[in-house]
Amino acid sequence: MSDRVLVIGLDSAPLAWVERWVAEGRMPNLGRLMANGAVGILRTVNPPLSPAAWSSFATGMLPAKHGVCYHVYRRPGSYDVAPTNSRRRMGKTLWQIISEGGGKVGVINVPETYPPVPVNGFLLSGMDTPSDDADWAYPPELKAELERAVGGYRVFGRRSKENLSRAIAGMHETIPMRCRTAEYLWGKYQPDFMILVFMETDIIQHKCWKYLDPAHPEYTPEGARRYGAVIPDIYTRIDQELKPLLEQVDERTTVIIMSDHGAGPLYKYLHLNSWLVSHGLMHFKRDAVTRVKRALFQLGFTPETMLNLTATLRVGIVDQVTSLIRTKMWRQGRTTLAQRLFLSWADVDWPRTQAYALGGSTTGFYINLKGREPQGCVEPGDEYERVREEIMHRLMQWRDDTTGWPVVERVYRREELHQGPYADRMPDVIFTARDEAYIGFGWHEFGNKALMRSSPLFNANHRMDGMVALYGPAIRRGVRLETHSIVDLAPTILYLLGYPIPADMDGRVMVQAFLPEFLAARQVVTAVSAPAAGDDGRQMPDDGVYSTREEGEVLERLKDLGYA
């Protein structure tokens, strides 16, 4: 009954808001599919970040099995971070499984797909691509073909940390470009499975949620009048530009609309490493340079203070400095200019430090474990558990310095959330913030001497609950689905296309969405699991994916979004 599957990914789309905009008539094309299909909440994985979530969508596996957690990871043998990429992900993806089974696939703009791997079809990599000059297409000649056929394709558009109008204009350029590209490739290459992801929905929400949502503490009527429509306008533009592609969809195609996580207000960034210092769990060196940097830090010479000041004054420095760092790459080895100017990892006395936090948008801590970390000082066993208990206890006592409300809702040991061969990549202590509205600051290791601060640049955070809607010949109409996990989509898509489900997938087929006659005619078949390894069936080294310059490009773009 279902010969083809088209997946439309709206990164960070929250179901309640999408349904509201559909009801207001802002999304008539996607709204029609939702009204005549099965709709529900799609719960993401922990952490609710795009690298982990999209990797779970692609593999049907939880993070401890595919190995991807944050936007960055700790480089082996050091405390430096590097950006994640497709080679960090273990397990086979949907598009590999379908390709190996003889089906045609198309993948457009999915995170964690760089470098692109050979498939039976085409692949245009996503946000982990270093730049538009990189080799982001498979097959490579597709770049030139798209130039001739649709006027070219770019992974990225114009962007800006501080100039909202410039950032919005860039999104309204990339949305029609992605849709033209998808329409052309869907029609010419006739893939059995194709996915098109829009990151624009995530980017605009990070920047503009406080103008949309009266529940945001920084919401004002004036801000709502000026910018309250910019988020729904992005959804409307996507809906409009998708119309020609959706008109190509025939009666034997299933369309799935989904998000990798939801969205909601961001109250404050948490300076997790500064919090550890305040509790005596992290220490600094005693040399003269570090003492000077610490003194300046206490006086307010911090990365976040400088960033927020220039953004608030709107003098254009933020974008200029970002561009300069990208083009000149002020690095000595892997040490950035910011690390030399400000208090950083280079100033930490690791043999006396018991815990640390990595990356942006994090809600977890790693223990500086002897035998695992390069300068670990915490003994495995009783001492490890004692340090974890201390961190968990102190987290539950943390209060917002403005409202007095608890910051943390719940704390977990790693093994309570993550079980699998790559669980050791996950933090040792994990917490969920109250209302999911606080996250770790990631622009620099020590962003501010204060333990928490709001940001003039970002005002939305991810939520665990996203959305899913299925429409097609095998799908029940008008059904409200029970809450499903994002890992359920991979087996569901394979089932729709008649492929067996690998036994090592954590997800299950979303049987509630299907017509009884389809379920009766097509049994769920389990296959022998593929090796839990890299994209070609082997674990692949991820060093060498990026040059030093390219790595800087990726990290700077993650900083644009507050992720790294």
Side-chain angles (χ1 to χ4, degrees):
M1 290 177 67
S2 186
D3 295 337
R4 304 174 76 184
V5 173
L6 171 64
V7 178
I8 297 168
L10 304 175
D11 195 285
S12 197
L15 179 59
W17 285 93
V18 170
E19 289 185 319
R20 174 175 173 174
W21 297 325
V22 166
E24 292 172 353
R26 290 178 172 272
M27 302 173 65
N29 299 301
L30 296 179
R32 175 181 57 83
L33 303 183
M34 292 172 65
N36 291 284
V39 179
I41 289 172
L42 191 69
R43 186 154 293 158
T44 194
V45 294
N46 186 290
L49 294 172
S50 291
W54 284 112
S55 294
S56 288
F57 162 81
T59 62
M61 296 177 180
L62 294 168
K65 197 174 286 185
H66 61 62
V68 175
C69 185
Y70 297 133
H71 289 274
V72 296
Y73 68 96
R74 183 174 63 80
R75 196 181 298 279
S78 79
Y79 294 94
D80 292 336
V81 297
T84 58
N85 56 74
S86 66
R87 291 188 180 178
R88 287 287 291 175
R89 184 187 58 242
M90 305 298 123
K92 289 193 175 181
T93 61
L94 265 174
W95 36 94
Q96 289 176 286
I97 294 169
I98 296 170
S99 292
E100 292 173 1
K104 290 184 179 180
V105 300
V107 180
I108 304 174
N109 202 41
V110 177
E112 304 307 302
T113 51
Y114 183 87
V117 297
V119 291
N120 185 26
F122 56 87
L123 190 154
L124 310 181
S125 60
M127 68 181 293
D128 49 324
T129 306
S131 72
D132 285 317
D133 295 327
D135 295 326
W136 42 259
Y138 179 86
E141 57 269 21
L142 191 56
K143 262 189 176 182
E145 180 181 341
L146 292 175
E147 193 69 40
R148 296 190 300 269
V150 297
Y153 180 85
R154 300 190 309 278
V155 181
F156 309 107
R158 287 189 289 163
R159 64 185 191 273
S160 172
K161 279 190 180 79
E162 58 189 332
N163 189 315
L164 184 56
S165 297
R166 185 185 305 149
I168 293 170
M171 296 177 215
H172 281 280
E173 292 170 358
T174 54
I175 289 168
M177 173 202 66
R178 297 197 205 287
C179 291
R180 286 194 306 270
T181 301
E183 180 190 359
Y184 168 75
L185 294 172
W186 176 264
K188 179 172 180 179
Y189 292 97
Q190 298 287 304
D192 303 300
F193 164 83
M194 188 174 88
I195 177 169
L196 166 64
V197 172
F198 294 94
M199 295 301 298
E200 291 83 356
T201 45
D202 179 74
I203 296 168
I204 195 65
Q205 287 168 182
H206 279 298
K207 294 176 179 291
C208 296
W209 196 270
K210 68 180 180 181
Y211 305 120
L212 170 76
D213 186 357
H216 197 289
E218 297 178 27
Y219 175 90
T220 65
E222 180 184 357
R225 283 193 297 272
R226 292 185 64 190
Y227 297 114
V230 295
I231 293 177
D233 283 351
I234 289 293
Y235 282 84
T236 297
R237 185 66 185 272
I238 290 171
D239 186 89
Q240 291 171 343
E241 298 294 339
L242 279 172
K243 185 177 180 181
L245 172 61
L246 295 176
E247 287 174 345
Q248 287 193 34
V249 171
D250 61 25
E251 67 280 359
R252 298 185 68 83
T253 298
T254 300
V255 180
I256 299 175
I257 308 160
M258 53 81 64
S259 64
D260 59 326
H261 50 71
L266 169 64
Y267 296 163
K268 293 179 181 178
Y269 277 115
L270 304 175
H271 294 279
L272 298 179
N273 289 307
S274 295
W275 182 83
L276 289 171
V277 172
S278 74
H279 290 292
L281 294 163
M282 176 175 278
H283 297 276
F284 294 108
K285 296 174 182 175
R286 299 182 177 94
D287 61 85
V289 172
T290 297
R291 287 177 182 272
V292 170
K293 290 164 77 172
R294 284 197 72 185
L296 290 172
F297 185 79
Q298 293 300 321
L299 291 172
F301 184 65
T302 70
E304 189 193 44
T305 301
M306 299 300 106
L307 183 70
N308 289 352
L309 176 62
T310 53
T312 301
L313 294 176
R314 299 190 181 279
V315 293
I317 294 176
V318 176
D319 289 333
Q320 291 175 33
V321 170
T322 297
S323 177
L324 189 59
I325 290 172
R326 263 199 305 270
T327 55
K328 298 298 183 182
M329 284 311 301
W330 294 339
R331 285 175 172 256
Q332 295 176 349
R334 294 190 179 275
T335 302
T336 65
L337 176 66
Q339 287 170 326
R340 297 203 299 275
L341 285 176
F342 300 107
L343 205 59
S344 72
W345 270 177
D347 302 294
V348 173
D349 189 347
W350 290 107
R352 294 195 300 132
T353 290
Q354 295 173 291
Y356 61 97
L358 281 181
S361 300
T362 58
T363 53
F365 295 94
Y366 292 88
I367 304 302
N368 194 24
L369 190 64
K370 187 176 290 187
R372 186 183 69 183
E373 269 70 10
Q375 298 181 62
C377 67
V378 176
E379 293 285 351
D382 291 345
E383 187 180 7
Y384 172 76
E385 294 300 340
R386 180 189 61 75
V387 174
R388 287 210 296 181
E389 286 288 346
E390 180 178 354
I391 292 172
M392 294 167 70
H393 174 71
R394 291 185 182 278
L395 282 170
M396 294 304 297
Q397 295 179 322
W398 201 358
R399 295 293 184 268
D400 187 298
D401 55 12
T402 302
T403 65
W405 294 339
V407 170
V408 174
E409 185 173 283
R410 188 171 176 185
V411 292
Y412 302 89
R413 294 172 180 82
R414 179 184 62 201
E415 58 271 20
E416 294 179 69
L417 295 179
H418 298 290
Q419 298 285 337
Y422 303 102
D424 61 349
R425 295 183 178 182
M426 311 302 155
D428 297 285
V429 175
I430 299 163
F431 67 91
T432 55
R434 184 178 60 82
D435 299 332
E436 300 178 82
Y438 300 80
I439 51 172
F441 179 81
W443 197 79
H444 192 72
E445 297 99 305
F446 300 96
N448 201 302
K449 66 175 183 177
L451 303 187
M452 63 184 72
R453 278 287 185 269
S454 58
S455 168
L457 297 174
F458 308 107
N459 48 78
N461 185 30
H462 299 169
R463 297 295 189 270
M464 290 293 291
D465 288 350
M467 67 162 291
V468 65
L470 302 91
Y471 167 87
I475 304 300
R476 296 167 64 193
R477 294 192 171 201
V479 172
R480 193 68 175 192
L481 297 171
E482 62 188 34
T483 297
H484 282 275
S485 169
I486 193 169
V487 296
D488 294 335
L489 279 175
T492 298
I493 292 167
L494 292 175
Y495 173 69
L496 266 166
L497 294 173
Y499 290 87
I501 314 301
D504 60 354
M505 282 191 173
D506 294 304
R508 297 292 179 265
V509 175
M510 300 166 63
V511 294
Q512 184 192 6
F514 292 100
L515 293 167
E517 54 267 34
F518 186 81
L519 293 170
R522 179 171 294 177
Q523 290 187 338
V524 176
V525 178
T526 301
V528 175
S529 298
D535 276 334
D536 63 353
R538 299 177 293 107
Q539 182 167 348
M540 301 170 68
D542 51 350
D543 277 349
V545 169
Y546 302 117
S547 67
T548 300
R549 180 189 177 93
E550 289 176 334
E551 183 177 297
E553 289 271 2
V554 177
L555 290 173
E556 286 304 319
R557 189 165 51 255
L558 292 174
K559 288 177 184 179
D560 286 353
L561 298 174
Y563 288 145

